[in-house]
Amino acid sequence: MVENDRFGMVRVAAAVPQLALANPGKNAVIAKNLMVRAQSLDVDVLVFPELSLTGYTCNELFFQKELQDAARNALQQLIHDSEKHFAGILIVGLPLSINQVLYNCAAIISQGQLLGLQPKTYLPTYKEFYDRRFFAPAFAALVDFVEFDGDPIPFGTDLLFTAANVPDCTLGIEICEDLWTPIPISSQMCLAGATIIANLSASNETIGKVTYRRDLVVQQSARCMSGYIYAGAGVGESSTDLVFGGHALIAENGTLLAESERFSRTDQLLVQDIDLDRLRVNRQTTSTFVDGGMVNDLPNYRTIGFELPEKKTSTRTLRSIDPHPFIPKASIELNQRCEEIFHIQVAGLGRRLHAAKPEKITIGVSGGLDSTLALLVLWKTLKDCEIPAERVRAYTMPGFGTTPRTLQNARQLGQHLQISMDEVDIRQLCFDEWVLLKHAPFGINLDNFTLDQLSDQLLHLPPEKKADLVFENVQARARTSILMNSGFVIGTGDLSELALGWCTYNADHMSMYNPNVSIPKTLVKFLVRWIADHEFSGPTRETLLDIVATEISPELLPISADGKVQSTEATIGKYELHDFFLYFFLRFGMHPRKIVWLAEQARFDHPYTGSQIREQLQLFLRRFFQNQYKRSCIPDGPKVGSVSLSPRGDWRMPSDAQVNAWIESLNH
């Protein structure tokens, strides 16, 4: 890792101070204490609520020069304190008189300097709100700079604040109601390049408002593909008819990362990390985001630079790094998510069968995970589309690596689902082909050998000789030949196998339609278990759970005398790591060192060292690039999630691209 590499992370915080209403001096002390806390937590951007130096509910007191001067003095004190106590960027609110006009402003401070002042644009004057009574809107201002302590300070809503030493880190500021309008000013700011929006707010509490407010913030972060820091005024603001709860939120591109405890009577600091890499990739890959900037008449924003403190590589992210990003979280939405995935697969296959109208539908069932999920999708499709099960011809095709356990599970699965299962032993077919090809499996000359003699020899094959690609490929293609010559073939291979090229070209790689094509291996396993628990009971469920518990294997290499089978994960590494790499590499385009950094912080089922993670990531990258040619001609199949390798959809890549730059980045 490179020293002081942030890996695209910016640590942000929303402060909810216990406000002293109409007491700017005390509020400055409270803000300083929160600054010190934020500094100890390595916070980069610290946002306070609207009018945090005075309070939002001062009303007629805003016209008092004593309050205005006290707020100005408090700001001066905070600017001075920030130089010693906070290395990041600080945003506070105060009333500011400019040319005898009063504005509700946000002050943006960085390491002892006042970078800019931004007035509130939209002033609510309805129901309980009377902003327009006290303040002028931003568009009433006739100046672009104001004098503060003898210095000209940029003033207006056309300000963006960019970190010179952190790529893609640009802040935009809006104040409370600016978000609640039909076209929030943050929308234009993000189209102009802002990646993080800070909202200084004083939103009071009424029944149901918390949900609306939360949804508003999360949806705006999604619409703008941005990070969003929302700092709401706390209970100290409550006075007369209004109660404030101190609702603070941090969101990123439609995901709520953190939320404060409302109605707390202590100072709160809500802290979370914003991932700029995710935002950058989402914006780059979403063409309509760029179009939004072209068709809208954006202001000519002034860009003001600042620097954020350097980070040490030992800094861990506050984000929860999910070791299994493809698997639905354990929540009330869990069943809905799994059911939706299953229905997408069924709907896609049903549509294809309706259009193709095949007389015979064929599927290979090995007793392993992938073919089981595909068979379950087919079973459900037959029921939903009222297709007679007699049109299905399922095959289980034992070969030299088939185990009694998987063969028995395949047989039982056909019985449980009432789908006719034909059993075809492919060993003689493969033996004859090796003879025709003059191939000597594992160095065994087949002249004057019988199938039984070969099987006996393979049983006692030493481990160091168990490598023969032709031996494996002939079996895989023999199975596909039987399926292809029997009807409309349902594919079974999954997304992880496509990413790694862990499939035989023109064998399990090929079908007429593949319902599993965008389901990664970890999710396949999870879905089969979920279907077992929610669609079946008794012996059927037990068979499915036994399949889930079976070691993953292509069952192409011979079983040893002690019953040991070919293990996929012993050859290419754990699928949970590969799927983790796949998600962050494809979904967010993250560079290899950041993927390693994230993987080191994720809690996997089995602990991995940094060297193990790097070694397997290098294997993943090499195999991913080497096997694009297989993905360039895969069959149709339904897109299920945000990651897909369809050459007609999400992933277009030259088959001859070289991996060197990614390997060099990983090893740098």
Side-chain angles (χ1 to χ4, degrees):
M1 296 181 182
V2 177
E3 189 67 24
N4 296 319
D5 193 337
R6 287 174 161 270
F7 294 110
M9 296 290 187
V10 172
R11 184 158 295 176
V12 303
V16 184
Q18 287 306 297
L19 183 84
L21 196 57
N23 189 343
K26 185 173 181 179
N27 291 330
V29 173
I30 295 171
K32 175 187 173 181
N33 293 336
L34 283 167
M35 272 199 301
V36 173
R37 280 178 56 187
Q39 178 68 20
S40 69
L41 296 172
D42 290 327
V43 169
D44 297 308
V45 181
L46 177 58
V47 185
F48 281 80
E50 181 179 7
L51 294 168
S52 51
L53 292 183
T54 59
Y56 174 74
T57 54
C58 288
N59 294 336
E60 305 298 333
L61 294 179
F62 284 126
F63 295 127
Q64 297 290 314
K65 193 171 188 303
E66 286 77 7
L67 186 65
Q68 296 173 18
D69 290 345
R72 195 179 184 99
N73 292 336
L75 178 59
Q76 289 173 325
Q77 185 61 47
L78 276 181
I79 294 170
H80 175 74
D81 290 339
S82 71
E83 186 173 11
K84 296 180 180 179
H85 299 293
F86 189 62
I89 191 164
L90 170 69
I91 308 168
V92 297
L94 77 161
L96 198 63
S97 177
I98 300 171
N99 296 333
Q100 296 81 51
V101 178
L102 198 59
Y103 295 92
N104 178 345
C105 291
I108 299 87
I109 304 164
S110 175
Q111 301 175 34
Q113 290 187 318
L114 180 58
L115 299 182
L117 291 162
Q118 178 162 323
K120 187 173 181 178
T121 298
Y122 296 100
L123 303 179
T125 307
Y126 55 84
K127 296 184 178 179
E128 65 264 42
F129 302 110
Y130 290 89
D131 286 37
R132 192 67 178 86
R133 178 183 178 93
F134 313 113
F135 300 107
F139 48 78
L142 301 177
V143 294
D144 294 327
F145 290 86
V146 298
E147 181 273 331
F148 194 91
D149 269 2
D151 295 321
I153 304 300
F155 175 81
T157 58
D158 58 344
L159 307 179
L160 294 178
F161 301 87
T162 298
N165 60 334
V166 179
D168 303 313
C169 181
T170 298
L171 301 177
I173 316 297
E174 60 185 3
I175 303 174
C176 201
E177 189 77 7
D178 294 344
L179 168 65
W180 298 64
T181 58
I183 304 177
I185 65 171
S186 55
S187 297
Q188 293 184 320
M189 289 174 175
C190 288
L191 289 172
T195 50
I196 299 175
I197 299 298
N199 188 312
L200 298 77
S201 182
S203 176
N204 64 306
E205 300 297 339
T206 55
I207 295 174
K209 193 174 183 180
V210 60
T211 302
Y212 185 85
R213 186 192 298 120
R214 182 190 302 116
D215 291 346
L216 193 65
V217 168
V218 171
Q219 283 302 312
Q220 184 65 1
S221 77
R223 188 176 294 107
C224 292
M225 297 184 186
S226 70
Y228 203 103
I229 316 159
Y230 183 93
V235 294
E237 189 74 74
S238 304
S239 181
T240 315
D241 296 329
L242 303 182
V243 172
F244 294 80
H247 196 196
L249 303 155
I250 299 175
E252 177 189 286
N253 194 27
T255 298
L256 181 63
L257 299 180
E259 184 172 12
S260 67
E261 174 191 352
R262 289 190 302 147
F263 305 111
S264 171
R265 296 187 178 277
T266 60
D267 294 336
Q268 288 194 81
L269 205 59
L270 186 69
V271 186
Q272 191 50 266
D273 292 336
I274 299 292
D275 192 336
L276 298 175
D277 288 340
R278 295 189 184 212
L279 301 176
R280 170 179 48 79
V281 169
N282 280 323
R283 289 183 177 189
Q284 288 177 347
T285 56
T286 306
S287 59
T288 49
F289 185 85
V290 178
D291 295 343
M294 297 174 64
V295 301
N296 284 274
D297 186 17
L298 301 180
N300 292 318
Y301 284 97
R302 291 176 281 171
T303 300
I304 300 167
F306 65 94
E307 289 198 359
L308 290 178
E310 293 183 336
K311 296 288 185 182
K312 297 179 180 179
T313 55
S314 59
T315 301
R316 294 176 63 87
T317 179
L318 297 177
R319 298 170 74 103
S320 175
I321 306 302
D322 189 349
H324 306 121
F326 289 108
I327 298 177
K329 306 293 186 300
S331 68
I332 58 174
E333 298 180 359
L334 178 64
N335 289 343
Q336 294 175 343
R337 288 280 303 278
C338 292
E339 186 176 15
E340 184 177 21
I341 292 169
F342 193 42
H343 282 323
I344 289 173
Q345 291 179 278
V346 170
L349 179 58
R351 173 63 183 137
R352 176 50 54 88
L353 294 179
H354 176 78
K357 295 180 175 58
E359 293 183 10
K360 287 291 182 182
I361 303 166
T362 64
I363 184 171
V365 182
S366 68
L369 277 172
D370 293 339
S371 63
T372 296
L373 179 58
L375 182 63
L376 291 170
V377 172
L378 176 58
W379 166 82
K380 184 69 170 176
T381 304
L382 298 179
K383 291 179 62 178
D384 288 2
C385 298
E386 299 181 345
I387 299 173
E390 292 74 22
R391 288 171 59 182
V392 175
R393 193 172 184 182
Y395 289 90
T396 185
M397 296 168 279
F400 294 94
T402 301
T403 66
R405 179 179 183 178
T406 54
L407 181 58
Q408 181 65 13
N409 280 336
R411 292 167 176 164
Q412 290 180 349
L413 207 52
Q415 294 172 4
H416 296 326
L417 300 180
Q418 298 181 331
I419 292 177
S420 176
M421 185 80 69
D422 289 341
E423 190 170 317
V424 178
D425 190 328
I426 64 168
R427 291 180 299 167
Q428 186 64 56
L429 181 63
C430 296
F431 181 90
D432 294 341
E433 186 162 345
W434 291 324
V435 171
L436 288 172
L437 293 173
K438 296 182 173 55
H439 178 66
F442 309 102
I444 301 172
N445 192 325
L446 295 183
D447 292 343
N448 302 318
F449 258 71
T450 66
L451 174 61
D452 289 340
Q453 290 172 325
L454 174 62
S455 298
D456 183 65
Q457 287 283 98
L458 295 178
L459 188 65
H460 299 92
L461 196 68
E464 64 271 12
K465 285 193 174 182
K466 281 193 175 181
D468 189 327
L469 196 57
V470 174
F471 181 87
E472 296 189 57
N473 288 347
V474 165
Q475 291 179 82
R477 292 193 176 108
R479 289 179 173 128
T480 300
S481 177
I482 292 169
L483 293 172
M484 286 287 181
N485 290 317
S486 300
F488 185 94
V489 181
I490 307 300
T492 61
D494 63 52
L495 180 70
S496 306
E497 292 177 343
L498 281 174
L500 295 164
W502 193 251
C503 54
T504 301
Y505 191 87
N506 206 29
D508 51 321
H509 159 262
M510 194 50 59
S511 65
M512 278 72 168
Y513 190 84
N514 182 0
N516 291 349
V517 70
S518 64
I519 311 289
K521 184 74 76 178
T522 51
L523 183 54
V524 170
K525 192 171 187 176
F526 187 88
L527 280 173
V528 172
R529 184 187 294 115
W530 180 86
I531 295 168
D533 290 337
H534 291 81
E535 293 280 348
F536 301 100
S537 61
T540 307
R541 178 178 178 275
E542 294 304 316
T543 298
L544 291 174
L545 293 179
D546 190 64
I547 291 170
V548 170
T550 303
E551 184 174 10
I552 299 171
S553 170
E555 295 192 334
L556 294 172
L557 291 177
I559 304 171
S560 62
D562 60 359
K564 190 174 182 180
V565 300
Q566 177 186 11
S567 170
T568 297
E569 292 186 312
T571 304
I572 61 173
K574 294 291 186 181
Y575 270 115
E576 66 172 2
L577 269 181
H578 283 306
D579 284 357
F580 186 89
F581 302 153
L582 178 64
Y583 179 78
F584 286 102
F585 179 71
L586 263 68
R587 178 67 181 86
F588 299 111
M590 289 185 178
H591 59 82
R593 287 185 299 109
K594 180 168 181 177
I595 295 176
V596 172
W597 181 70
L598 292 172
E600 288 175 335
Q601 299 179 68
R603 295 184 178 181
F604 289 97
D605 294 341
H606 307 281
Y608 302 101
T609 65
S611 59
Q612 288 174 323
I613 293 170
R614 283 188 289 274
E615 182 179 345
Q616 187 161 327
L617 178 55
Q618 181 163 304
L619 174 66
F620 170 85
L621 291 169
R622 291 192 184 281
R623 291 194 66 99
F624 186 87
F625 275 75
Q626 290 168 354
N627 289 283
Q628 173 61 30
Y629 74 96
K630 294 181 181 179
R631 298 189 291 269
S632 294
C633 55
I634 59 173
D636 293 348
K639 178 178 177 178
V640 170
S642 58
V643 176
S644 168
L645 285 170
S646 170
R648 300 165 295 277
D650 293 64
W651 192 256
R652 297 166 180 83
M653 171 182 168
S655 297
D656 305 306
Q658 297 186 359
V659 72
N660 302 57
W662 286 261
I663 299 298
E664 290 172 4
S665 175
L666 174 62
N667 296 327
H668 180 64

